[in-house]
Amino acid sequence: MSFRAINQKYLEPGSQILMVLGIIALCQPWNMLLHSYGVTIILIGLIGFNITSKIAPEEKAGTGQKANPGAPH
C-alpha cells in the first residue's frame, strides 16, 4: 500500500475525526482538561487536514486518470 493510499484511507479521515472530537471536547461540561485542550485538538486536526488534503490521490495505471471508483463516468 502506497503512502497516497494510506493518506486517502486513514490520515485524511483521521484528521477530520480529530477536528470533530475537538469540537466535542470544547463543548462538553464534565471534564475541564478536555475543555481546556479543545481548541488545541481542533487546530491539530485542522493543520493535519490542510496537509493531507494537498496530497493527490493515486492515479490509475496507464490511463493518467486519478483513481476514484465512486465518480460518475
Side-chain angles (χ1 to χ4, degrees):
M1 183 177 264
S2 70
F3 175 72
R4 290 179 185 218
I6 292 171
N7 177 56
Q8 190 174 10
K9 189 171 183 180
Y10 298 112
L11 298 179
E12 192 170 348
S15 61
Q16 293 171 349
I17 291 170
L18 190 62
M19 286 188 285
V20 171
L21 290 177
I23 293 170
I24 292 170
L26 189 62
C27 295
Q28 59 83 30
W30 304 287
N31 191 336
M32 190 63 182
L33 182 69
L34 284 177
H35 179 75
S36 55
Y37 285 108
V39 174
T40 306
I41 295 170
I42 294 170
L43 287 175
I44 291 170
L46 180 64
I47 292 168
F49 181 73
N50 280 333
I51 293 169
T52 58
S53 66
K54 302 293 187 239
I55 300 171
E58 286 186 330
E59 295 181 357
K60 292 181 182 175
T63 62
Q65 296 178 348
K66 293 179 181 172
N68 192 358
H73 296 272

